[in-house]
Amino acid sequence: MDPARRGSADRGSAPGAGSRPGPPRGPGSAVRLPPDAGVSAAPFLGGGVPGGRRSSRPDGHGFGNGCPRRAGTEERPQAHTPPEGLPLPALLSPGPGGPPSPAAPGRVTFPAPAPSERREMLPKAESSDHIAAWAGPAVPRAPTLPKAVSSEFLAGGWAGLSPRAEPGELPVLSRPLGRLGPSDVCDLLPDCPGRAPEDGAFRITVVTWNVGTAMPPNDVTSLLHLNTGETNDVDMIAIGLQEVNSKINKRLKDALFTDQWSELFMDVLSPFHFILVSTVRMQGVILLVFAKYYHLPFLQDIQTDCTRTGLGGYWGNKGGVSVRLSIFGHMVCFLNCHLPAHLEKAEQRKEDFATILHMQQFEGPVANGILDHDLVFWFGDLNFRIESLDICFVKYAIDSNVLSQLWEKDQLNIAKSTWPVLRGFQEGPLNFPPTFKFDVGTNKYDSSAKKRKPAWTDRILWKIKPPSKGLGTGGHRPSQGVLSVSQLCYCSHMEYTVSDHKPVAAIFAVQFASKVDKPLVEIYVADEWSRPEQAVVRYKMAVGFHRSSWDWIGLYRVGFRHPKDYVSYVWARSDDGERCLEKQLCAQVMFSEEALPKGNGEYILGYYSNTSSSIAGVTEPFQGCRFPYPGQRRAAALQTAQAAAQKRMTVHLSSWLPNPVVPARAR
C-alpha cells in the first residue's frame, strides 16, 4: 500500500526511513532517548505512553494514533445463520394499558394470569443486569443449566438484593459498585459454566464501551473483572472505546500527554502485571491491547491500522481501528468499530463494515487482510437496533426479562443470515438488557423527548478462519484446525453510569493446537544485583532473529506499564554480536554504574527489538538492591583517598624530623 495514503492530520508527520525509535522512559519523567534516536513525538510526562513512530507498519505499530482516509467497498461472501433461541411463547399482556403483541396487527390483548402462574409461564433470561456467564458455541441454553439472577428476581426484593426499582429503571444488586463479577453470580450457581477455564487455554477478555465524551470513572476493576480472582487466569485484555472526547483542546493535550482513559487502564492493570502491547487512536475511537509481561516475547508481528468512514471517509468519528499480532505463532486481529447510528442506517452500517474490511491491509507474508487472520474479534458500538417492535413492547419485554422475544428483531441477528460479509461471525446469546440508551447518571432508559428505543448497540463477535486447502498467500500453507474458541462470559455492566451506553465485556478461552513457545532472545542474569559488578547481562539470539544495532535491553521495575516504561537501558551492541548469532553463542553487555536502580525491589530485563518494535525476550523477576549514587561513591572514594594521602604525608615527615613535633600548647 502506498505509504502516502497512511498520513493524516491525526497522526502528524511520520519519521523518515532512517529514523530509530528510542528506548522507553522511566515513570514520571520525560522520555529519555538514546543517542541519535529519531522518534517523532514530544516528551510524554506523568507516565504517559511514550513517543514512537506513529504508523500502522511493523516499525511503528506500538503507539500510533493516526490513520489514513479510506474509500471503496467490498462484498464478502455470505453469512452464518444466527443461533436459534428457546421456543418463544406468546408474550402476556401486563393488563390494561400494556403494550400489544407484535404478532398481529392492531391492538391485541390477552387475559392476565395470576402472578404465580405468570412466573411459571415466562422464561427467564440467563443473566443479571451485571453478568451472564456462558461457555461453548452460541446455541440455545440446555434446560438443565441453572437460571441466573433475573431482573424479575432483582425487582422482587429477594434476599441480598435491592428493593423494587422505580418505574423505568433497571434494578441492580444491593452491593457496593464495582464489587460484582462473574464469580459472584457463579457462587449462586454451582454449575455455572464460567467457573472453570479450560486447561491450557489462552484467556482473552474483550471490553467495548461508548463513553460518550465522559471523564473516566474512579474505578474500572469490576469492568475488567479484576476483583473476581479470574484475572490471574486471563492472559490478554483488549479494550475498545468509542466517543472519547476529541475536541480540539483535548486532542492537543493528548498529542503531548497520554489520554486520560489510556492512563486509567494502564494504572489499573499494571499492578496485575498487564503491559500495554499496542494502542491505536482515530479521533474518539481507541483500541488498547494488554498482555501479561511473560507473554510479550511470544507476541510478534504487531501492526495497527484504521479506516475513517465518517463524511464519506474524510472524518474519523466513525470507522474502525485494529491491532493485529501473532500470538504463539497464530495470527489474531482485534477490530474496534463505531458504525453509523439510527434504525434506518442498517445498509450504511453494512457498507462501512465492508469498506473497513477491504481497506485495512497489513504487511507480511501471511494475514494481509483482516479476514485472513486465524482469529478475528469484532466489537464496538455497532449501532444495530431492534426493528418492528415499538418502544412500549421493548421496555415491557426488558422489565419482564423475556429478552428472547427481542432477539429475532435485532438487526445484527437478521444481518447474520442475509449479509455475506458476516459469514462465519459468531456471538454469544444476548442474555443482558439492551445497553443503549440510558439517561446519564442513572439506570433508566431514555426519558428525553426523543424517547430512543433500547437496543443492543454494543456487541462483541468473533470469527475463526475456516480451514483451507493448498498454499496460501506467499506460498505459505494455511493453518487447519489450529485453534478453537469458547466464550466463558458475555455480560453488560449496569454499575457504570457516566455514559448513555453500558459497557459490555466477554471472556474467551482460546485453545491453540500448537504453540511457538521459544523466545527469540533468551536472557540470563544473576538472581540478585547487590554489587555493580553483578549487573552483567548475557543473551542468546535464536536462529533467524533479525538483529539490529539499535536493539536495546531495558531494566524494568515489576509493575511497569508499557515497553517504554523502563528504569534504564543498555544498547545490545556486543562487539561480537554477529558471530554470537551465527554460532549460537551468548553475547554479553553490562549496565553502567550510573544506569543501576537506586532502590530496592524486583526488576525484569527485556530485550527490545527495533526491527519488530516489540520485546523479544524477558527474564523472571530478580532482586535489585539499593546502589549508592555515582556522585556519592565518587565523594566517598575521594574522601578515603585524601585520608590515605594525609596519613602517608605524616609518616613521611616524621621520618625526617629528629624529634617529634610538639604542639605549642604542650610547651
Side-chain angles (χ1 to χ4, degrees):
M1 180 177 293
D2 183 2
R5 299 183 63 185
R6 296 184 173 268
S8 77
D10 283 338
R11 174 169 66 189
S13 302
S19 63
R20 299 174 287 269
R25 59 172 180 77
S29 63
V31 179
R32 296 176 301 200
L33 302 179
D36 300 324
V39 297
S40 59
F44 282 73
L45 305 177
V49 179
R53 290 196 184 102
R54 296 173 180 253
S55 166
S56 62
R57 296 312 186 200
D59 61 351
H61 73 87
F63 304 98
N65 65 355
C67 69
R69 179 175 68 87
R70 306 293 192 183
T73 61
E74 178 182 84
E75 288 284 334
R76 294 278 177 179
Q78 178 266 277
H80 162 70
T81 303
E84 298 180 33
L86 296 171
L88 303 179
L91 186 64
L92 301 176
S93 170
S101 168
R107 185 173 184 82
V108 182
T109 58
F110 299 88
S116 59
E117 184 180 346
R118 182 188 304 168
R119 178 168 296 181
E120 293 176 0
M121 297 178 67
L122 291 177
K124 302 294 188 297
E126 295 167 356
S127 71
S128 69
D129 294 327
H130 295 282
I131 290 298
W134 184 266
V139 295
R141 178 173 70 88
T144 56
L145 288 179
K147 295 183 178 67
V149 183
S150 72
S151 60
E152 182 175 337
F153 295 159
L154 294 176
W158 279 46
L161 306 179
S162 62
R164 182 178 295 274
E166 294 297 324
E169 181 172 6
L170 293 180
V172 295
L173 295 178
S174 59
R175 300 185 58 170
L177 292 184
R179 292 292 182 266
L180 181 68
S183 61
D184 297 295
V185 175
C186 291
D187 289 339
L188 300 174
L189 310 173
D191 299 324
C192 174
R195 291 182 67 85
E198 301 182 22
D199 293 337
F202 188 86
R203 299 187 70 185
I204 300 175
T205 296
V206 179
V207 175
T208 179
W209 192 4
N210 183 321
V211 300
T213 72
M215 296 289 290
N218 295 327
D219 184 18
V220 290
T221 53
S222 65
L223 173 61
L224 301 173
H225 298 187
L226 296 179
N227 53 6
T228 64
E230 296 186 355
T231 305
N232 294 330
D233 300 320
V234 172
D235 301 285
M236 179 174 285
I237 298 178
I239 302 169
L241 304 176
Q242 306 87 38
E243 292 193 19
V244 175
N245 192 336
S246 57
K247 293 182 179 179
I248 296 295
N249 58 334
K250 286 292 296 179
R251 293 293 286 136
L252 290 175
K253 183 178 179 181
D254 292 345
L256 298 175
F257 307 93
T258 311
D259 68 273
Q260 293 172 305
W261 284 94
S262 298
E263 283 282 357
L264 170 67
F265 287 114
M266 285 191 289
D267 289 341
V268 170
L269 287 171
S270 59
F272 294 89
H273 307 300
F274 283 99
I275 312 304
L276 180 64
V277 176
S278 183
T279 181
V280 58
R281 177 171 185 174
M282 180 185 68
Q283 289 183 213
V285 184
I286 297 179
L287 175 58
L288 305 109
V289 177
F290 295 84
K292 291 289 182 67
Y293 77 88
Y294 43 80
H295 291 312
L296 295 179
F298 311 108
L299 309 179
Q300 297 297 318
D301 196 11
I302 306 171
Q303 300 180 45
T304 66
D305 205 350
C306 53
T307 304
R308 297 185 184 91
T309 59
L311 295 179
Y314 286 93
W315 196 242
N317 63 323
K318 296 292 191 291
V321 297
S322 62
V323 172
R324 87 82 168 266
L325 70 166
S326 168
I327 304 177
F328 294 106
H330 301 271
M331 302 307 298
V332 178
C333 183
F334 296 95
L335 175 61
N336 173 28
C337 290
H338 191 189
L339 299 182
H342 304 304
L343 177 68
E344 65 277 8
K345 294 292 184 67
E347 283 299 317
Q348 184 63 48
R349 288 188 276 275
K350 170 187 173 182
E351 293 176 6
D352 284 6
F353 182 51
T355 297
I356 292 168
L357 294 181
H358 175 70
M359 296 305 299
Q360 296 206 7
Q361 299 291 319
F362 304 97
E363 291 184 341
V366 294
N368 300 114
I370 290 177
L371 298 183
D372 296 330
H373 290 73
D374 296 321
L375 176 61
V376 177
F377 290 101
W378 176 39
F379 51 97
D381 181 3
L382 307 184
N383 259 319
F384 289 98
R385 308 303 172 97
I386 296 174
E387 290 187 345
S388 305
L389 309 179
D390 63 33
I391 186 172
C392 295
F393 181 85
V394 171
K395 286 187 174 181
Y396 175 63
I398 296 169
D399 292 341
S400 302
N401 207 24
V402 196
L403 301 177
S404 56
Q405 292 279 352
L406 308 178
W407 293 346
E408 63 182 9
K409 297 299 183 180
D410 174 75
Q411 287 182 331
L412 182 55
N413 283 338
I414 296 172
K416 289 177 190 175
S417 60
T418 58
W419 292 4
V421 73
L422 294 182
R423 173 189 291 174
F425 278 98
Q426 304 177 60
E427 183 183 22
L430 298 170
N431 289 321
F432 51 86
T435 55
F436 174 83
K437 173 182 172 97
F438 289 87
D439 292 338
V440 174
T442 74
N443 286 322
K444 292 183 179 180
Y445 285 109
D446 186 16
S447 62
S448 69
K450 292 184 177 180
K451 296 284 186 194
R452 297 274 176 80
K453 190 195 306 183
W456 285 290
T457 57
D458 310 280
R459 311 288 278 270
I460 301 173
L461 297 89
W462 74 96
K463 180 179 181 179
I464 301 174
K465 183 180 178 181
S468 55
K469 300 179 180 179
L471 296 179
T473 305
H476 292 261
R477 185 170 299 280
S479 52
Q480 300 189 20
V482 294
L483 56 82
S484 62
V485 178
S486 298
Q487 190 178 69
L488 305 179
C489 173
Y490 192 23
C491 60
S492 65
H493 286 263
M494 297 293 295
E495 65 269 31
Y496 294 99
T497 61
V498 299
S499 170
D500 57 354
H501 290 251
K502 300 299 181 183
V504 174
I507 301 178
F508 299 90
V510 182
Q511 290 278 3
F512 297 114
S514 61
K515 288 185 177 182
V516 178
D517 55 3
K518 184 176 176 60
L520 294 174
V521 178
E522 296 179 84
I523 307 175
Y524 308 96
V525 68
D527 292 335
E528 182 179 4
W529 284 6
S530 56
R531 300 185 306 276
E533 55 269 23
Q534 291 179 315
V536 176
V537 182
R538 295 177 176 86
Y539 59 95
K540 182 179 179 181
M541 296 165 284
V543 176
F545 175 67
H546 297 289
R547 175 180 174 271
S548 167
S549 58
W550 296 101
D551 294 351
W552 44 268
I553 297 174
L555 177 65
Y556 302 95
R557 190 182 296 273
V558 170
F560 67 104
R561 297 155 27 118
H562 49 77
K564 306 289 179 77
D565 187 17
Y566 68 96
V567 176
S568 61
Y569 68 91
V570 61
W571 291 108
R573 291 177 178 171
S574 175
D575 295 335
D576 54 354
E578 291 298 334
R579 185 178 67 87
C580 292
L581 177 60
E582 181 181 350
K583 297 184 175 294
Q584 287 295 282
L585 303 175
C586 282
Q588 176 176 308
V589 294
M590 185 172 183
F591 277 83
S592 65
E593 189 173 341
E594 291 80 3
L596 295 176
K598 305 305 184 291
N600 298 326
E602 287 191 314
Y603 294 87
I604 294 171
L605 289 173
Y607 186 106
Y608 189 89
S609 168
N610 181 65
T611 304
S612 63
S613 297
S614 61
I615 290 182
V618 296
T619 65
E620 290 294 325
F622 62 93
Q623 192 67 32
C625 298
R626 182 180 296 275
F627 295 97
Y629 286 95
Q632 293 176 329
R633 295 179 63 87
R634 285 194 293 269
L638 180 60
Q639 186 177 3
T640 302
Q642 289 175 341
Q646 186 176 2
K647 183 177 180 180
R648 287 195 300 271
M649 181 63 69
T650 302
V651 172
H652 180 70
L653 291 176
S654 298
S655 64
W656 283 90
L657 295 175
N659 297 311
V661 177
V662 179
R665 185 175 299 177
R667 297 175 187 172

